[in-house]
Structure formats: structure tokens, C-alpha cells
Amino acid sequence: AAAAATRAARVIGKPYKSRYSGRLSWLAIKGAPVRLALFDLDNTLLGGDSDHAWGDYLCERGILDGIAYKARNDAFYQDYLAGNLNITDYLNFSLEILGRTEMAQLQQWHREFMRDCVEPIILAKGEALLAEHREAGDKLLIITATNRFVTAPIAARLGVDTLLATECEVQDGRYTGRTTDVPCFKEGKVTRLNRWLGETGLSLEGSCFYSDSLNDLPLLEQVTRPVAVDPDPKLRAEAEKRGWPVISLR
């Protein structure tokens, strides 16, 4: 228990003494400002990329062309890793299948996707970190560039009620295959989060954000405590230069 408290102190923030037991406590002080704990999803709480895995799932089951689609999907993913993804081009490509498929069929596919592809990459240490912040009384929020269709069931599985994700347009009860609103990517994450903060009256005071990717640098720079999680080489170098914590959930 003492070791767990020490780890939490390094990552989450400073504990306070409970007036009831005199021991370190992670329960929120009644009336204290709500502290936000923000989490990227792919390659942070998950041991893989759910957006890319969704494309692979569709190809492996013969729903999409296993050669042409997979080649483009892989190319876009490499662009993402390199930090030069054209998000508009990628969304036009990846959301097209939603626009030509009935909602009931999509939901069935997603249930299979969750079982076969997502469950195996949910990280136990990621779930433990969420639990630590939950016990601390923090407000948990997943903020991801991956679209809401893919990620909403994953956030629910992880027990996180608040999700900011790239939005999929819905008309007359079905997806159009187009995105809507600001994509939740790079500076777009900051834009979307700031709007949400304005709507909720919350702030980034005392906040933390966990991410693996240099693409999230704009948001990492905004929070009180940025944490690099199993970071890509560019984010690792940036974190070391700035003295940010670097942790592993693998």
C-alpha cells in the first residue's frame, strides 16, 4: 500500500493528511475544485491503436478489400506516427464505411471488434491508473483523435463517462460517412477541450494529461502535469528535455 501511495504521489500529485486517520488519503476534499485527469486512448490506455485495429478487423473479415484498404490504412497510420497525418484525408477514408452500412450491422460488427480486438489490448496498468484517479476524486476524461463510433464503447468499458472524440455525422438515424465539428487531433484537442471547459465551468488547474504521442504536444503544454506514457521517440525526447514524467503502462 505504501509503494502504491508513493507511485501515485509521483504521477498524480501531492497527497494530503486525512484528518480522520492521519494517513495519506486520496479522497477528494469536500468543496475542493474538481481536478481533471485527462487520458489519450490509443497506445496509452490501450496497448495498440483502436482506429487502425478497426480497419484491420474489417479487412480480416472480408468486409473491406484486404489488400487495397489495408495498404492505405497502414500508410495513414505511418503518417500519424511521423506526425504528418492529413486528418481530413484520413477521416474521408476511414468513415466511408459508416456511411454505407446500416446502424444495426455496424453495432454487431463493433461488438465483435470489442471482443476480438479491443479486450486483448486493454492494459491492466492503465485500468489501475484510472482507478487511482477515480479514488482520488478526480474527474476522468478520455480525449482521442479516434472517432466516437469506435471509441464510445471502449470508454464505457473502461468506466470513463466523459469522452471527447472526433465526431461522426448522423442524419435520420444513420451515419453519413462524414465528420462534423473540429477533429479532436493536435490543436483540435485543445479547441474541443476548451469548449468543454467553458460548458462545464471546470478548469485545467491541477490537471494532468497522459499521452504517448508527440501529436498531443499542444494539449500536454496546457495541463499542470503532463505525463508521457510509453512515448514515441519524439515525445520521449521532448519529455526528457522539459523534465516531464515518463511512465510505462505495459
Side-chain angles (χ1 to χ4, degrees):
T6 300
R7 289 195 300 272
R10 283 201 298 265
V11 175
I12 298 176
K14 295 181 180 179
Y16 66 91
K17 293 282 187 179
S18 168
R19 62 193 176 108
Y20 300 107
S21 66
R23 295 177 297 177
L24 294 180
S25 172
W26 295 102
L27 297 178
I29 302 173
K30 186 175 182 180
V34 174
R35 187 171 57 181
L36 295 177
L38 312 175
F39 300 85
D40 178 46
L41 181 64
D42 298 313
N43 289 306
T44 300
L45 294 174
L46 299 179
D49 187 288
S50 61
D51 210 358
H52 187 257
W54 169 246
D56 281 350
Y57 163 85
L58 295 173
C59 291
E60 288 166 4
R61 282 150 184 79
I63 299 164
L64 293 174
D65 188 300
I67 297 176
Y69 187 95
K70 182 171 175 52
R72 287 199 69 195
N73 196 38
D74 289 348
F76 278 122
Y77 186 52
Q78 290 305 311
D79 287 346
Y80 171 81
L81 294 177
N84 54 24
L85 175 67
N86 183 313
I87 190 64
T88 301
D89 288 349
Y90 175 68
L91 291 174
N92 288 338
F93 165 75
S94 64
L95 298 182
E96 188 267 343
I97 183 65
L98 303 186
R100 59 181 174 87
T101 307
E102 294 293 333
M103 191 72 77
Q105 179 65 77
L106 289 169
Q107 292 170 347
Q108 179 185 332
W109 288 343
H110 201 293
R111 286 191 294 270
E112 296 173 359
F113 171 68
M114 287 290 296
R115 180 194 66 211
D116 298 341
C117 304
V118 175
E119 282 293 337
I121 63 172
I122 291 176
L123 298 173
K125 290 182 180 179
E127 291 193 281
L129 181 59
L130 289 169
E132 287 182 1
H133 279 283
R134 194 176 289 115
E135 183 182 353
D138 296 339
K139 168 66 177 176
L140 307 185
L141 185 151
I142 289 175
I143 183 164
T144 175
T146 300
N147 69 75
R148 183 171 295 274
F149 166 76
V150 168
T151 57
I154 303 174
R157 162 65 179 79
L158 293 172
V160 178
D161 296 332
T162 303
L163 170 69
L164 295 182
T166 296
E167 301 296 341
C168 307
E169 186 180 57
V170 177
Q171 292 181 358
D172 301 322
R174 64 177 296 159
Y175 291 108
T176 65
R178 298 185 295 270
T179 187
T180 183
D181 207 341
V182 177
C184 202
F185 180 62
K186 289 190 172 180
E187 291 80 3
K189 282 193 176 183
V190 178
T191 300
R192 294 283 304 280
L193 180 61
N194 283 337
R195 185 198 303 161
W196 181 83
L197 292 173
E199 293 169 350
T200 60
L202 299 177
S203 78
L204 290 177
E205 181 181 356
S207 63
C208 58
F209 177 41
Y210 297 88
S211 177
D212 72 293
S213 174
L214 189 69
N215 288 305
D216 283 333
L217 186 60
L219 182 51
L220 287 163
E221 292 177 328
Q222 300 298 312
V223 300
T224 302
R225 188 164 180 79
V227 182
V229 180
D230 299 296
D232 62 42
K234 291 181 180 179
L235 179 58
R236 180 178 293 275
E238 195 69 28
E240 291 174 350
K241 182 175 72 174
R242 299 185 186 218
W244 293 347
V246 177
I247 68 170
S248 177
L249 298 178
R250 304 297 176 109

